[in-house]
Amino acid sequence: MELQVNDWISLKTLEPLDDEALFLETDKSRNHLRKWLPWLDGIQNVSDSRQFIEYSIQLHDQRKAMIFGIFADGQLAGTISFNQIDWQNRIGHIGYWLSSTYTGQGIMTEAVRRLVNYGFDDLALNRMEIRCATENNKSRHIPERLGFTEEGQVREGEWLYDHFVDHAIYGMLSRDWADK
C-alpha cells in the first residue's frame, strides 16, 4: 500500500526487502533517536529490522496497526504509523520518527498530515491521538503545527532506558480536521 504525500514524499507499507535500509537509517540515527525512543537497543542488526517489518505486516493484516516507511525521493527516511487502531472507538494512535539526515525539511509534518487524512477519509476514524515526551519539542511541534489540541499530560508515561519521561497528549477530531 502506498500513500502519496507530494511529488517527493510517499508513505509505503514496509516490505522485507526494506530491512537493510531500515536498519541503516536506524543505526546512523541511533544517537539522535535514543533520547526519545525506547526500542533502539532491540535493533542491533538487519535481522532485527526484518523481524520488525514482519511483525508490522502481521499487525497490518490483523488490522491492529499500520506501519509505513516514509520515503523521500525514493529513499527510506523514517517511519510513521498508527501504532494502534482502536476500531471500536475509531481512534488512531500515531507515532513517528525520522532519520537525522532528513530532519528540518518539513517531511514529518506533511507525512502526519497525509496519515491523518487517510485515517479520517479512508478508515472513517473519528479521533487521532499523538503522544510526545513533554521535552521533545521537535516532535511536539508537529501536532501543534497541524492544529491538534493539547489535551493534557501523562506523568511518567514512558520508560526510556534509565528514567521516566512525561508525555503531552494531542488530539484531533474528524469534525475539527474537516474545518482546517
Side-chain angles (χ1 to χ4, degrees), residues 55-75:
Y55 180 63
S56 74
I57 292 168
Q58 288 175 5
L59 291 174
H60 184 100
D61 290 346
Q62 297 166 358
R63 295 179 44 96
K64 292 181 178 179
M66 297 180 86
I67 301 164
F68 297 92
I70 301 170
F71 289 81
D73 282 332
Q75 302 300 309

Side-chain angles (χ1 to χ4, degrees), residues 147-167:
F148 278 62
T149 299
E150 184 177 352
E151 298 176 335
Q153 293 188 3
V154 175
R155 296 180 308 144
E156 297 186 358
E158 184 174 40
W159 177 255
L160 284 178
Y161 305 103
D162 62 357
H163 67 285
F164 285 101
V165 295
D166 297 345
H167 274 187

Side-chain angles (χ1 to χ4, degrees), residues 36 58 70 76 91 98 110 112 130 139 141-142 152 155 161:
W36 305 117
Q58 288 175 5
I70 301 170
L76 185 62
I91 301 171
L98 200 59
E110 293 310 309
V112 171
I130 297 174
S139 188
H141 287 322
I142 291 161
R155 296 180 308 144
Y161 305 103

Side-chain angles (χ1 to χ4, degrees), residues 105-155:
Q105 300 176 47
I107 293 170
M108 191 57 76
T109 299
E110 293 310 309
V112 171
R113 182 188 321 275
R114 181 64 180 99
L115 190 65
V116 170
N117 282 333
Y118 176 71
F120 287 144
D121 297 343
D122 297 281
L123 300 179
L125 298 175
N126 180 60
R127 175 181 166 79
M128 301 291 162
E129 187 173 295
I130 297 174
R131 291 184 180 211
C132 308
T134 56
E135 295 181 18
N136 187 348
N137 293 323
K138 287 184 178 183
S139 188
R140 292 184 70 175
H141 287 322
I142 291 161
E144 291 168 356
R145 236 181 257 124
L146 293 172
F148 278 62
T149 299
E150 184 177 352
E151 298 176 335
Q153 293 188 3
V154 175
R155 296 180 308 144

Side-chain angles (χ1 to χ4, degrees), residues 40-56:
L40 288 160
D41 288 351
I43 306 296
Q44 295 298 318
N45 53 52
V46 174
S47 177
D48 294 331
S49 290
R50 186 177 318 107
Q51 287 177 1
F52 167 75
I53 291 169
E54 290 168 355
Y55 180 63
S56 74

